[in-house]
Amino acid sequence: MLRLKASSSMPDEFTTGGFRPVLPDRADAPRTGIDRVLIASGKIVYDLEAERARRGDTRTAILRLEQYHPVPGAELAAELAAYPGADEPRNQGGWPFLALNLPESLAAHGEHRPLRVACRPASASPSTGSSKMHAAEQAELMARAFDR
């Protein structure tokens, strides 16, 4: 991520407001017409944003989960409330933890929508070791995240 230009931050993001466990969608598009919300963290956020731009998708919002524990239920519920007509796919990595904790935490703040998963298959290693296999998995992940 050090070489990824999209992951750079402005100085005021470090000097004002403090840490935020959930970051809103960075798209300039209005929040109306959104019918899908993706909740992601780490590098996959930038992959999802690039895919959304490539597809010209204006119906998908991407929220950045910056803190897993304690689950920021109030902050996440507040961001989700801005998209009342949307459902939320989930992605792996932190999914086992979130599967156990997120529904209850969101319900405590009035969010009861069902969650769906869009992730790579479970694996004993963090990488396939093959760039072709990684590209195929990445394409499948993007399709599950954005295709309707």
Side-chain angles (χ1 to χ4, degrees), residues 31-71:
R31 291 184 170 206
T32 57
I34 300 293
D35 62 5
R36 179 167 294 172
V37 177
L38 304 175
I39 302 168
S41 63
K43 185 181 181 301
I44 195 71
V45 170
Y46 303 103
D47 295 340
L48 291 167
E49 289 174 343
E51 181 69 10
R52 177 176 61 184
R54 186 188 73 74
R55 290 175 177 238
D57 186 321
T58 59
R59 296 172 38 204
T60 303
I62 302 169
L63 302 181
R64 291 175 50 188
L65 186 60
E66 298 288 302
Q67 172 182 306
Y68 276 74
H69 185 51
V71 174

Side-chain angles (χ1 to χ4, degrees), residues 2 13 20 27-28 30 51 56 63-64 72 74 77-78 84 91 95 103 110-111 119-120 139-140 145:
L2 291 173
E13 293 178 277
R20 295 184 304 170
D28 293 329
E51 181 69 10
L63 302 181
R64 291 175 50 188
N91 73 299
W95 173 239
E111 273 297 332
C119 65
R120 289 187 172 84
E140 174 65 22

Side-chain angles (χ1 to χ4, degrees), residues 5-144:
K5 291 185 182 198
S7 71
S8 63
S9 300
M10 299 303 295
D12 65 319
E13 293 178 277
F14 295 104
T15 59
T16 59
F19 176 75
R20 295 184 304 170
V22 178
L23 298 178
D25 190 322
R26 297 190 306 177
D28 293 329
R31 291 184 170 206
T32 57
I34 300 293
D35 62 5
R36 179 167 294 172
V37 177
L38 304 175
I39 302 168
S41 63
K43 185 181 181 301
I44 195 71
V45 170
Y46 303 103
D47 295 340
L48 291 167
E49 289 174 343
E51 181 69 10
R52 177 176 61 184
R54 186 188 73 74
R55 290 175 177 238
D57 186 321
T58 59
R59 296 172 38 204
T60 303
I62 302 169
L63 302 181
R64 291 175 50 188
L65 186 60
E66 298 288 302
Q67 172 182 306
Y68 276 74
H69 185 51
V71 174
E75 294 88 345
L76 194 51
E79 284 297 327
L80 290 172
Y83 308 103
D87 60 355
E88 304 87 35
R90 304 159 288 205
N91 73 299
Q92 198 170 348
W95 173 239
F97 174 79
L98 291 175
L100 293 172
N101 296 285
L102 189 57
E104 182 180 340
S105 186
L106 288 175
H109 300 284
E111 273 297 332
H112 299 282
R113 287 178 266 183
L115 302 172
R116 295 183 302 118
V117 66
C119 65
R120 289 187 172 84
S123 173
S125 68
S127 172
T128 64
S130 162
S131 62
K132 288 182 182 180
M133 180 62 79
H134 174 76
E137 285 181 354
Q138 186 77 353
E140 174 65 22
L141 175 61
M142 293 301 135
R144 281 188 283 167

